Amino acid sequence: VSHDLRTPLAILKGYVETLQIKKDSLSEAEKEEYLNITHNNIDKLSNLINQLFEYSKLESEQITPVKEPFSITELSYDLIEKFKVLAEQKQIELKLDTSKENCIVFADVSMVERALQNLIENALKYTDLGGKVTLSIKKLNKNIEINIADTGKGIPASEQPYIFDRYKQVDKSQKKRGAGLGLAIVKKIMELHDTTITVLSQPKKGSTFTFKLPAQ
Ligand code: ADP
C-alpha cells in the first residue's frame, strides 16, 4: 500500500513543481491539463486514505453494526439509480432483478450499503463496454439472498480464494483505480453480520458474488 500512496504523491509533487517553475512559459491548455492530473491524483489519494481508515476501523471493531429492519429492495433501487450514470458512460446494462415483494432484512443499513457499493463498483470496473451487471434479490426460507452478477473479465480459479484478502489484486499492473481493499471491507462487513460472501467466476465469462442476510 505504501507504493499506492507514494505514486500519486510523487506525481502531484512533480506537476505542482512544474507549474511553479514554468508558470510563465506554459500555455493555458497545458496548465489546465496539469491541474486536471493533479486533481485526479488528489481524488486517488483521498479514496485510498478513506478505504484504509474504513478498513482499519472495521478490523479493530471500532465500529460495530447497528442492526435494524430495512428494505433491501428499496436500498437496491437507490443504488441502481446512483450507479446509472456510471453504467451508461461505460455502456453497461445495469439492472435490478427482484420479485414484486418488498424484502426486509435485519442488518446494519450503512454497512450493507457500503458492501453493495463496493460490489457494484467492482462489477462495473471489471466489465467491458456493452456488458451487463445484474443485482438480484431472492427470498429464501429465513434469509434474503443477494447476487451481484457481471459479464466481465472474470477471475481465474486459482486466484478466487485470495481476492477477499487485503491488498490482493489479480492483475497488479491494471490501470484501474483501487488498492485491493474493496473486497476485504465487504468480507469484514459480512463477518460482522455472521454471514459470508462467496464468488463464482469464470475467466472471460463473468463473476457472481453472493451473500445472505437474515429476513425480518
Ligand atoms: P480493487 O481495489 O483492486 O478493485 P478489491 O478488493 O475490490 O480491490 O478486489 C480485489 C481484486 O479482485 C481486484 O483487483 C480484481 O482483480 C478482482 N475482482 C474483484 N471484483 C471483480 C469482478 N467483479 N470481476 C473481476 N475481477 C474482480
Side-chain angles (χ1 to χ4, degrees):
V1 80
S2 91
H3 168 83
D4 290 319
L5 283 170
R6 271 173 229 240
T7 310
L9 264 180
I11 295 172
L12 267 176
K13 190 159 185 261
Y15 280 98
V16 170
E17 276 173 4
T18 310
L19 280 165
Q20 282 175 325
I21 296 163
K22 296 193 178 170
K23 62 175 178 286
D24 298 327
S25 58
L26 289 173
S27 69
E28 280 309 308
E30 281 170 328
K31 283 184 196 161
E32 179 78 23
E33 190 198 336
Y34 290 4
L35 284 171
N36 279 338
I37 296 172
T38 319
H39 198 265
N40 287 341
N41 280 283
I42 291 174
D43 281 349
K44 257 191 209 160
L45 270 178
S46 61
N47 263 324
L48 178 55
I49 292 165
N50 285 339
Q51 276 199 321
L52 277 170
F53 271 126
E54 200 178 341
Y55 183 79
S56 62
K57 273 196 271 179
L58 285 167
E59 174 78 3
S60 61
E61 294 186 11
Q62 261 183 52
I63 34 173
T64 45
V66 180
K67 296 178 191 172
E68 57 184 346
F70 71 89
S71 165
I72 187 95
T73 312
E74 269 174 40
L75 176 66
S76 302
Y77 272 114
D78 289 349
L79 283 170
I80 296 282
E81 204 50 43
K82 184 174 155 188
F83 282 102
K84 218 167 80 185
V85 176
L86 187 63
E88 275 165 13
Q89 278 169 2
K90 283 199 76 183
Q91 293 171 32
I92 292 173
E93 187 191 339
L94 173 64
K95 59 170 221 191
L96 181 64
D97 183 5
T98 178
S99 62
K100 290 237 158 56
E101 192 181 3
N102 188 14
C103 293
I104 310 286
V105 293
F106 186 71
D108 182 308
V109 60
S110 53
M111 285 194 191
V112 173
E113 179 173 15
R114 160 55 72 206
L116 281 171
Q117 262 178 18
N118 287 3
L119 294 167
I120 299 170
E121 246 169 45
N122 276 350
L124 293 172
K125 187 157 75 167
Y126 299 109
T127 299
D128 286 332
L129 229 77
K132 208 165 141 182
V133 171
T134 312
L135 172 59
S136 51
I137 305 167
K138 240 186 289 172
K139 184 143 202 268
L140 306 176
N141 240 349
K142 287 184 174 158
N143 289 311
I144 307 288
E145 186 182 275
I146 297 111
N147 283 286
I148 299 91
D150 66 59
T151 58
K153 63 187 254 179
I155 305 153
S158 58
E159 299 283 350
Q160 287 172 23
Y162 309 110
I163 55 166
F164 298 99
D165 295 348
R166 268 179 303 179
Y167 314 129
K168 178 68 193 173
Q169 296 184 312
V170 175
D171 180 6
K172 260 282 176 197
S173 67
Q174 62 194 357
K175 293 268 183 298
K176 314 255 181 193
R177 183 176 63 86
L181 276 169
L183 288 180
I185 289 172
V186 174
K187 185 180 166 197
K188 204 73 219 170
I189 290 173
M190 295 305 145
E191 276 172 19
L192 290 169
H193 283 84
D194 305 308
T195 185
T196 48
I197 172 106
T198 54
V199 64
L200 266 177
S201 180
Q202 245 185 304
K204 298 199 182 111
K205 292 241 165 84
S207 313
T208 301
F209 288 83
T210 304
F211 64 93
K212 290 188 191 117
L213 290 171
Q216 172 72 12

